[in-house]
């Protein structure tokens, strides 16, 4: 099958788990005999072949490009999001690309930068559209339903404006997919009741675990991801600092990921009484050799949580915040689940640090839990949806 995938960014440009998941999907579909094209953003137009996937990079067309993560004024950001809600600037260019590629199915994922108006454009080619919600972009232009250090229960005034513009395009996709029941349910009110929908969990390669050859004398807790308030990093560090002095002497915290330099300096200043290390960006296969337990302290309602299943695939047990879709990844035999409120995480860390046998008990079941998210099931789930929607168009 000839399939065209849209995603804001693609390898080697990584922002979060979506880029990893889309790459695994694209390459998995190639292995199943499909011809896969990806349209994504870059700093210039280019066409590459990466592991069998034809990757077409185009420049963003808005008042500035978000590709280089440059800082802009609040006014500029506001204007960017308004334009992005119904961006007409790609019409002829993307239409010509789709016409040349001649896909049998188009699969959109993160479309910030492309705009939901992309769907109306695709409909002119009469190609079935599958859309996967990997974040909250259709509801919240920040994409995370998190503002002023709090998870948002309702849309704020600004998001209501951009959401109203985007909602005009919601009838164009033919099939909606959520990466968890949580995020699909969040979007259900936006989707026409007659439109088919499904949950397809992200996948991971179950590779037999990490060797753990770099463990220190201390129990090493780990965090991997964006170092930002919505990810709960500050909350996590304050909770670890609240542990007893006796317990803090037993562990260290290793963080891997990008973050603002001033924010990282602030986090170091509040890490009272325990050892902390910011390692920068590390590959999972390297990072998980250094830690015994992963902490996922998210305050925002994570749609899924790729780091959880990655850790399990490396035989690393996980402490999971019960935020959003993360609860669906919890498995009593290999993870701990806690509420991200004051004293909850510190109490759990106290227990783990003083009962190290619990780590080994959980570790023994990590691979079994990871197999629930086997990459082959992930790819097959989408292949089934593509076949279904393609056949419905040919009837």
């Amino acid at each position: 099958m000839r399939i065209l995938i849209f995603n804001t960014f693609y390898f080697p440009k990584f922002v979060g788990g979506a880029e990893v998941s889309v790459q695994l999907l694209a390459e998995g579909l190639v292995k199943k005999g499909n011809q896969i094209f990806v349209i994504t953003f870059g700093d210039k137009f280019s066409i590459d072949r990466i592991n069998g996937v034809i990757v077409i990079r185009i420049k963003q067309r808005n008042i500035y490009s978000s590709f280089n993560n440059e800082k802009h004024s609040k006014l500029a950001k506001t204007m960017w999001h308004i334009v992005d809600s119904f961006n007409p600037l790609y019409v002829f260019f993307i239409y010509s690309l789709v016409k040349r590629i001649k896909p049998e199915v188009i699969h959109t994922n993160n479309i910030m930068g492309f705009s939901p108006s992309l769907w109306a454009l695709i409909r002119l080619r009469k190609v079935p559209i599958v859309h996967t919600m990997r974040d909250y972009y259709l509801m919240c232009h920040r994409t995370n339903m998190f503002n002023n250090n709090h998870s948002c229960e309702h849309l704020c005034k600004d998001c209501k404006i951009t959401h109203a513009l985007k909602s005009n395009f919601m009838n164009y996709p033919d099939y909606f997919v959520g990466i968890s029941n949580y995020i699909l349910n969040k979007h259900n009110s936006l989707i026409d009741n007659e439109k088919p929908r499904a949950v397809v969990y992200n996948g991971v390669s179950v590779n037999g675990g990490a060797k753990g050859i770099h463990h220190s004398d201390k129990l090493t807790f780990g965090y991997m991801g964006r170092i930002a308030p919505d990810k709960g990093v500050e909350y996590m560090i304050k909770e670890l600092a609240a542990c007893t002095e006796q317990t803090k002497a037993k562990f260290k915290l290793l963080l891997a990921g990008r973050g603002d330099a001033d924010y990282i300096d602030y986090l170091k200043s509040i890490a009272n009484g325990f050892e902390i290390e910011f390692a920068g960006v590390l590959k999972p296969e390297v990072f998980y050799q250094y830690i015994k337990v992963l902490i996922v302290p998210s305050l925002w309602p994570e749609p899924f949580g790729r780091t959880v299943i990655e850790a399990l695939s490396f035989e690393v047990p996980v402490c999971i915040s019960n935020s959003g879709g993360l609860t669906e990844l919890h498995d009593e035999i290999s993870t701990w689940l806690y509420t991200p409120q004051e004293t909850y995480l510190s109490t759990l860390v106290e227990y783990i640090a003083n009962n190290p046998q619990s780590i080994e008990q959980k570790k023994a079941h990590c691979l079994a839990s990871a197999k629930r998210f086997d990459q082959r099931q992930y790819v097959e789930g989408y292949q089934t949806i593509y076949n279904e929607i393609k056949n419905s168009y040919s009837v």
Side-chain angles (χ1 to χ4, degrees), residues 63-78 80 259-263:
I63 64 172
Y64 62 82
S65 172
S66 65
F67 182 79
N68 295 316
N69 297 321
E70 296 175 351
K71 292 186 177 181
H72 299 276
S73 68
K74 184 175 181 180
L75 176 61
K77 290 179 180 178
T78 299
W80 192 97
D260 180 79
D262 290 338
Y263 187 59

Side-chain angles (χ1 to χ4, degrees), residues 40-65:
T40 187
F41 290 118
D43 56 2
K44 62 182 179 180
F45 180 82
S46 66
I47 302 176
D48 303 299
R49 185 183 290 271
I50 303 174
N51 297 328
V53 179
I54 299 170
V55 181
I56 303 168
R57 302 183 197 279
I58 65 175
K59 292 187 70 173
Q60 278 189 12
R61 300 188 179 189
N62 202 321
I63 64 172
Y64 62 82
S65 172

Side-chain angles (χ1 to χ4, degrees), residues 39-206:
I39 295 181
T40 187
F41 290 118
D43 56 2
K44 62 182 179 180
F45 180 82
S46 66
I47 302 176
D48 303 299
R49 185 183 290 271
I50 303 174
N51 297 328
V53 179
I54 299 170
V55 181
I56 303 168
R57 302 183 197 279
I58 65 175
K59 292 187 70 173
Q60 278 189 12
R61 300 188 179 189
N62 202 321
I63 64 172
Y64 62 82
S65 172
S66 65
F67 182 79
N68 295 316
N69 297 321
E70 296 175 351
K71 292 186 177 181
H72 299 276
S73 68
K74 184 175 181 180
L75 176 61
K77 290 179 180 178
T78 299
M79 292 302 300
W80 192 97
H81 285 299
I82 291 174
V83 171
D84 185 57
S85 298
F86 63 105
N87 194 334
L89 302 176
Y90 295 98
V91 172
F92 297 108
F93 184 58
I94 292 184
Y95 182 85
S96 66
L97 287 176
V98 174
K99 185 177 180 180
R100 291 179 62 184
I101 293 169
K102 294 183 173 64
E104 297 168 81
V105 172
I106 289 178
H107 180 188
T108 58
N109 294 268
N110 284 356
I111 55 172
M112 176 181 276
F114 289 108
S115 170
S117 60
L118 171 71
W119 295 329
L121 175 65
I122 293 169
R123 178 59 68 237
L124 295 175
R125 294 297 306 167
K126 298 180 180 179
V127 181
I129 303 168
V130 175
H131 178 66
T132 296
M133 282 85 69
R134 297 187 181 275
D135 60 21
Y136 301 97
Y137 167 74
L138 296 175
M139 304 170 68
C140 165
H141 59 245
R142 296 180 183 86
T143 75
N144 61 0
M145 295 291 289
F146 189 89
N147 195 20
N148 295 324
N149 291 319
H150 293 287
S151 179
C152 301
E153 294 297 324
H154 307 285
L155 297 184
C156 65
K157 181 175 66 175
D158 292 344
C159 285
K160 283 181 179 179
I161 295 172
T162 53
H163 168 67
L165 295 169
K166 294 171 186 174
S167 63
N168 292 311
F169 302 98
M170 285 298 294
N171 278 332
Y172 287 104
D174 301 285
Y175 203 115
F176 289 89
V177 180
I179 58 174
S180 65
N181 285 289
Y182 182 87
I183 195 167
L184 183 61
N185 290 337
K186 274 285 189 181
H187 287 82
N188 266 340
S189 62
L190 310 181
I191 302 170
D192 188 300
N193 288 333
E194 295 182 1
K195 295 291 179 79
R197 66 205 74 190
V199 172
V200 179
Y201 289 121
N202 290 328
V204 67
S205 175
V206 182

Side-chain angles (χ1 to χ4, degrees), residues 358-387:
S358 66
I359 300 173
E360 296 305 313
Q361 291 167 356
K362 300 275 189 187
K363 180 179 179 179
H365 299 286
C366 284
L367 292 182
S369 295
K371 286 177 181 177
R372 293 191 296 143
F373 308 96
D374 186 271
Q375 185 177 335
R376 290 167 295 185
Q377 296 173 198
Y378 169 57
V379 175
E380 187 59 41
Y382 278 104
Q383 184 78 69
T384 300
I385 290 171
Y386 299 151
N387 291 338

